[in-house]
Amino acid sequence: MYVHVPASWGAMAVYTIMALLSGWGFISRAPLLHLIVKALAPLGITFTLISLGTGAIWGKPTWGTWWVWDARLTSMLLLLFLYLGYWALVTLLEDEEKALTAGAVVALVGWVNIPIIKWSVEWWQTLHQPASILRLAKPAIHWSMLQPLLCMALAFAAFGFIMTTLCIRIELNKRKLRSLQLRDRKNQTMKEAA
Amino acid sequence: MDLSSKHALYIFGAFGLAACLLTMLTLWILQADRKIRKKLQKKESVEIIFHHSLDYEKKIPKKKALQQNLLKASEQRKRQRESLKQP
């Protein structure tokens, strides 16, 4: 629980931030925002994998099975596919601008899945347990368990922040290197023409 | 295997999986960061050498001119000494 729940929160929060920044990037036309979205993707993929893996490990002794086509689990799997689809688009397309734009569209449109993940348990009354913390009523979990859970959530958030910062630095350095290489190529072409 | 050790196995498995995935992510990011910084450093050091050499090339004409002037002056003094030696 102390790994599965923070990882699930992290996976959904990262996708929400990606969708928000993508939308803001389209409005403001700031390319840096799309770069930040790309930097967030690996973190989101990792959190989703942890959530699905630890959920399966929880499910085996609790429900007697590694996997069920439960609404919450299926929508979480769909989130993983959305993340992988985004990553495939931004890394495989040659034109970086087109890749980031296409990825941003995936991030924006795919955000529809997030409320489905959150409310699926209430809507379809499925196997996964309902919300104990993020709900309209008082948390259904005792403070002695809520405290370490919130500590782990904070730890995951701090880890996520550090990794995202490093990823943003990598993307900015890649751009810098590319612009230096393009300038060299331009100078060489001008010398040859002269 | 009794129930408690089986459950302990599941718990360790879950923590182990999370630790593995988080470690893999960290290592992948750190490696990519080091790789790109190395390439950029190499490119930027070439730039620094290039700019230094440009500055050096600007100084060379001045140095050459000074050397030529000194050479001219020493040749002039040599010619003067030779002209004084002649009767």
Side-chain angles (χ1 to χ4, degrees), chain B residues 27-85:
Chain B
L27 289 173
W28 180 73
I29 289 172
L30 288 175
Q31 195 197 27
D33 183 47
R34 197 166 62 168
K35 209 167 147 183
I36 196 74
R37 274 194 301 133
K38 217 170 167 181
K39 276 188 187 171
L40 196 61
Q41 215 171 36
K42 210 174 166 183
K43 193 90 190 135
E44 281 178 339
S45 64
V46 168
E47 292 283 312
I48 290 163
I49 290 166
F50 178 66
H51 285 299
H52 275 172
S53 68
L54 271 181
D55 286 339
Y56 188 66
E57 276 176 26
K58 276 182 202 163
K59 284 177 191 165
I60 276 183
K62 283 189 195 170
K63 219 173 168 181
K64 270 191 181 159
L66 186 65
Q67 277 173 344
Q68 277 169 359
N69 287 342
L70 287 170
L71 201 63
K72 271 185 202 168
S74 72
E75 276 176 3
Q76 206 173 12
R77 277 198 298 272
K78 203 174 168 183
R79 274 199 297 269
Q80 271 177 348
R81 270 197 303 256
E82 279 172 6
S83 67
L84 283 169
K85 275 182 189 170

Side-chain angles (χ1 to χ4, degrees), chain A residues 2-3 42-43 46-47 49-50 52-54 57 60-61 66 87 152 156 159 163-164 166-167 169-170 173-174 176-177 180-181 183-184 191, chain B residues 7 9-11 13-15 17-19 21-23 25-34 36-37 39-41 43-44 46-47 50-51:
Chain A
Y2 299 109
V3 173
L43 184 72
T46 309
F47 281 169
L49 282 170
I50 291 172
L52 288 169
T54 51
I57 293 170
K60 183 60 183 165
W66 295 106
W87 191 247
M152 280 297 281
F156 268 71
F159 174 80
M163 290 298 121
T164 308
L166 280 172
C167 281
R169 186 165 83 168
I170 291 168
N173 281 342
K174 275 187 189 167
K176 203 172 170 184
L177 185 68
L180 286 172
Q181 285 169 342
R183 198 190 63 183
D184 283 347
K191 265 188 198 169
Chain B
H7 278 150
L9 206 66
Y10 284 125
I11 291 166
F15 275 111
L17 174 71
L21 288 170
L22 292 172
T23 309
L25 175 72
T26 311
L27 289 173
W28 180 73
I29 289 172
L30 288 175
Q31 195 197 27
D33 183 47
R34 197 166 62 168
I36 196 74
R37 274 194 301 133
K39 276 188 187 171
L40 196 61
Q41 215 171 36
K43 193 90 190 135
E44 281 178 339
V46 168
E47 292 283 312
F50 178 66
H51 285 299

Side-chain angles (χ1 to χ4, degrees), chain A residues 24-170:
Chain A
W24 190 9
F26 278 130
I27 295 166
S28 65
R29 292 181 183 274
L32 180 64
L33 291 170
H34 292 309
L35 272 182
I36 296 171
V37 173
K38 187 181 173 185
L40 280 165
L43 184 72
I45 293 169
T46 309
F47 281 169
T48 315
L49 282 170
I50 291 172
S51 168
L52 288 169
T54 51
I57 293 170
W58 164 275
K60 183 60 183 165
T62 315
W63 306 322
T65 179
W66 295 106
W67 182 263
V68 286
W69 291 104
D70 170 63
R72 173 66 65 87
L73 275 73
T74 309
S75 50
M76 206 64 188
L77 186 67
L78 190 62
L79 182 67
L80 177 67
F81 291 154
L82 283 165
Y83 269 123
L84 292 173
Y86 174 87
W87 191 247
L89 268 173
V90 296
T91 49
L92 297 175
L93 283 178
E94 271 187 34
D95 188 344
E96 203 204 1
E97 208 182 312
K98 277 191 186 150
L100 289 174
T101 311
V105 170
V106 168
L108 266 174
V109 169
W111 188 82
V112 165
N113 191 37
I114 301 298
I116 293 173
I117 296 172
K118 169 67 186 152
W119 301 112
S120 58
V121 178
E122 273 91 39
W123 292 342
W124 290 294
Q125 298 288 317
T126 55
L127 186 62
H128 195 284
Q129 68 177 76
S132 313
I133 300 148
L134 298 172
R135 57 189 212 158
L136 294 170
K138 210 173 79 169
I141 187 172
H142 195 264
W143 176 244
S144 61
M145 289 176 80
L146 184 60
Q147 211 176 11
L149 180 60
L150 292 174
C151 281
M152 280 297 281
L154 208 68
F156 268 71
F159 174 80
F161 179 75
I162 292 165
M163 290 298 121
T164 308
T165 314
L166 280 172
C167 281
I168 292 169
R169 186 165 83 168
I170 291 168

Side-chain angles (χ1 to χ4, degrees), chain A residues 2-32:
Chain A
Y2 299 109
V3 173
H4 172 77
V5 173
S8 308
W9 286 349
M12 292 194 286
V14 166
Y15 203 87
T16 306
I17 295 168
M18 281 171 68
L20 280 169
L21 291 177
S22 297
W24 190 9
F26 278 130
I27 295 166
S28 65
R29 292 181 183 274
L32 180 64

